[in-house]
Amino acid sequence: MAKRVHSFALNKCQKGVCIAEDRISQLPDEVLVYILSFLTVKEAANTSVLSRRWLSLWRYIQRLDFDASKPLDKVALQPKLRKSQMKKYLRWVNYTLQMCKGQRLDQFRVCFDLNKFAQHEIDKWLKFAFSRNVQRLELDLLKGGEDIRYFDYCYTFPTRLLRLGDSVDSSSCIPHSNDLQIPPLVKQNFKFLKVLLLKSVNVTGEVLEFFLHNCPFLETMVVHGSGTLVNLEVVGPSLKLRHLEIQYCYYVKSLKICDTNLVTLRTSAGEALLLKNVPMLVEFDLSQENLEHYNFPQLTKLKKLVFTTFGQKDLSLLGCMSIIRAAPQLKEFELHLMLTCSLQSNRECRKAIKCPLHHLKVVKLCGFYSGAVHLELVRYFLENAIALEKIIFDPRNPILSRVPLEPSEIEEEQTARNLAKLHLEGEVPPYIELVIL
């Protein structure tokens, strides 16, 4: 009897009582491919097991994000796994690109610990991406997924891909057995690029300027850890560029930014920076040793300023406040004082020239607490920022790490919190919020 009841229930389900209608599969292929493009590459490929119709749909997705956060977490904890994980990553990307049939790419992102020994593979990937009119290109090749590597070991962006410098020698045209079949690239292939991100990639100013002047839709350019970037000019109101980031490129001699409509600028090449006529700049993140004698242009629309510097014994940052005087509309100021340990100073606090700050509302101080350095800055803002609402102190390292903090590092952070609380609570009036993270 039980078998008959079970059989009856099963038959009712098969007649449509319990089975939901599959409306997703009724959508056109173009719509399904669009939906799959919002998944990761692995998730999209996994849909091939659903049915015969889904078998090849993922091969036409327009966003290829080869993110490998979990393997990178493993490498951070066990560096010995780097080589084996790199080989697996290269096989994964190569296989996927051989399977892909889409004729255009909205995004192509590589995010893994890759160095110059993967030059040949990455060159092929770039050819693949540009031959499909990629709009967002990201090569995030940081060591361990988080650190800038030695420049000598960085992957080098191939100038021959852009037909810059010497012509391509015939040996580079010899096909390899597993090479993707890609036609020669022309300038037309680059014109759709909107975002270019290169981390731990050696790239020259000539290459970056090629993209600036041949990609009419390029809005964002990010370069971290290039050892071959020496000179770069971002000049002219005709450029579409709105966001520029040049960080940890320690050989930069000249960074000229003039007559542009940049909205966001982040750079650690402060000593080499020539900044002129940037009327649309709203957010400015600058790393530099000393701003005291730097002549900043008027930054009439600047709303947020982030200043990073390295601490020394008896350091005073009051001389660096000239940049604040150049930004009359500033609403938020953030200081990153890069210290490996607390540098307490017993010197007396100094006073800076008064400068009314009519719009400044939030001040954030990051890094280990350093006594007089922080006290004199807090007093400066209390005296001059008439609209000040909040002061935040954060002793944590602004650079996130995949590796958990050591007990000694946790103890140092707590010591910094205690000192900040001891000294600042007596300085900040109750109508201004003091936050110690």
Side-chain angles (χ1 to χ4, degrees):
M1 182 66 177
K3 288 184 178 179
R4 290 181 181 178
V5 172
H6 176 72
S7 177
F8 174 72
L10 190 60
N11 289 333
K12 287 184 68 177
C13 287
Q14 288 174 346
K15 290 179 181 179
V17 176
C18 299
I19 298 176
E21 186 179 3
D22 182 7
R23 295 187 177 182
I24 292 180
S25 294
Q26 296 175 12
L27 296 171
D29 287 355
E30 294 78 8
V31 176
L32 293 177
V33 170
Y34 178 76
I35 294 172
L36 290 179
S37 292
F38 288 94
L39 303 177
T40 66
V41 175
K42 288 184 177 179
E43 289 170 342
N46 287 340
T47 63
S48 63
V49 303
L50 295 176
S51 70
R52 182 176 297 178
R53 184 181 174 210
W54 288 82
L55 186 62
S56 298
L57 284 177
W58 74 272
R59 299 169 71 175
Y60 295 88
I61 59 176
Q62 294 158 5
R63 291 184 176 91
L64 294 176
D65 184 353
F66 294 100
D67 179 79
S69 296
K70 289 183 179 179
L72 282 174
D73 290 339
K74 291 180 182 179
V75 170
L77 294 171
Q78 296 177 273
K80 290 182 179 180
L81 296 176
R82 179 178 287 118
K83 192 173 182 179
S84 63
Q85 292 293 332
M86 184 180 79
K87 288 181 178 179
K88 288 177 64 176
Y89 188 88
L90 294 175
R91 286 197 299 268
W92 174 41
V93 178
N94 283 331
Y95 173 77
T96 303
L97 297 191
Q98 288 171 1
M99 298 292 289
C100 286
K101 293 184 176 181
Q103 295 306 304
R104 72 179 184 89
L105 278 177
D106 293 340
Q107 179 187 29
F108 183 82
R109 178 173 182 250
V110 173
C111 182
F112 200 72
D113 182 344
L114 299 176
N115 54 32
K116 67 178 183 178
F117 298 108
Q119 182 81 36
H120 176 64
E121 277 77 9
I122 302 175
D123 286 356
K124 288 189 301 178
W125 302 347
L126 288 178
K127 292 176 186 177
F128 176 92
F130 283 123
S131 70
R132 283 154 176 78
N133 299 326
V134 65
Q135 294 185 31
R136 184 182 183 98
L137 176 67
E138 301 180 46
L139 294 183
D140 189 345
L141 312 183
L142 295 176
K143 183 179 179 181
E146 59 185 356
D147 296 325
I148 298 296
R149 70 177 76 253
Y150 290 121
F151 297 144
D152 289 344
Y153 288 91
C154 286
Y155 166 79
T156 299
F157 193 97
T159 56
R160 66 181 183 278
L161 193 67
L162 312 179
R163 307 232 175 137
L164 295 174
D166 296 335
S167 60
V168 183
D169 61 71
S170 58
S171 63
S172 66
C173 299
I174 299 174
H176 293 254
S177 58
N178 62 342
D179 273 2
L180 299 161
Q181 297 302 311
I182 298 170
L185 297 178
V186 293
K187 284 188 178 181
Q188 190 79 0
N189 295 107
F190 305 98
K191 74 173 187 177
F192 295 97
L193 193 65
K194 294 180 180 179
V195 175
L196 177 65
L197 181 146
L198 304 172
K199 293 186 178 182
S200 278
V201 174
N202 282 333
V203 62
T204 65
E206 184 184 18
V207 167
L208 297 179
E209 289 173 20
F210 172 92
F211 285 116
L212 287 173
H213 295 289
N214 290 282
C215 303
F217 303 109
L218 186 63
E219 293 188 350
T220 300
M221 179 181 285
V222 176
V223 180
H224 285 196
S226 170
T228 53
L229 182 58
V230 179
N231 301 303
L232 177 63
E233 290 193 3
V234 182
V235 178
S238 63
L239 297 182
K240 183 77 171 180
L241 197 70
R242 296 294 179 267
H243 310 281
L244 177 65
E245 193 168 329
I246 306 293
Q247 300 275 32
Y248 317 115
C249 302
Y250 300 123
Y251 297 131
V252 172
K253 293 181 179 179
S254 173
L255 176 58
K256 184 178 180 181
I257 302 172
C258 300
D259 305 321
T260 73
N261 292 315
L262 276 182
V263 176
T264 303
L265 173 62
R266 297 184 176 93
T267 181
S268 57
E271 299 291 340
L273 178 63
L274 171 60
L275 195 65
K276 184 179 179 182
N277 191 22
V278 282
M280 305 302 293
L281 195 64
V282 173
E283 187 170 331
F284 189 16
D285 189 330
L286 178 66
S287 300
Q288 192 168 333
E289 289 296 316
N290 188 4
L291 298 177
E292 191 167 0
H293 303 294
Y294 196 99
N295 185 23
F296 281 96
Q298 282 294 300
L299 305 171
T300 55
K301 290 195 174 184
L302 192 69
K303 298 294 189 299
K304 181 176 180 179
L305 170 64
V306 179
F307 177 48
T308 302
T309 190
F310 291 87
Q312 299 174 356
K313 195 75 172 177
D314 292 333
L315 172 76
S316 177
L317 295 176
L318 291 178
C320 300
M321 294 298 104
S322 60
I323 188 172
I324 291 183
R325 293 193 288 271
Q329 300 297 320
L330 192 69
K331 290 186 176 181
E332 186 174 350
F333 174 77
E334 193 168 314
L335 169 71
H336 292 174
L337 187 57
M338 305 300 287
L339 299 172
T340 55
C341 61
S342 183
L343 291 176
Q344 287 295 302
S345 173
N346 295 322
R347 66 172 175 81
E348 293 185 2
C349 289
R350 303 167 190 170
K351 294 192 71 173
I353 300 172
K354 282 197 172 186
C355 174
L357 307 171
H358 298 287
H359 302 281
L360 188 67
K361 293 184 177 182
V362 179
V363 171
K364 186 174 183 180
L365 308 174
C366 303
F368 284 114
Y369 187 76
S370 296
V373 177
H374 288 90
L375 270 177
E376 59 194 11
L377 280 177
V378 167
R379 290 173 180 174
Y380 172 82
F381 289 119
L382 290 175
E383 290 177 9
N384 293 279
I386 57 179
L388 190 63
E389 297 176 356
K390 182 185 293 187
I391 297 176
I392 303 168
F393 175 74
D394 187 354
R396 297 170 297 183
N397 190 333
I399 302 175
L400 297 177
S401 175
R402 294 177 181 272
V403 181
L405 293 177
E406 296 289 337
S408 59
E409 294 173 318
I410 296 174
E411 184 179 348
E412 286 175 344
E413 283 186 2
Q414 189 56 48
T415 300
R417 288 187 188 93
N418 295 339
L419 287 171
K421 185 175 182 179
L422 177 66
H423 293 159
L424 300 183
E425 280 188 343
E427 298 283 340
V428 180
Y431 57 84
I432 295 176
E433 183 181 4
L434 175 63
V435 179
I436 299 177
L437 299 175

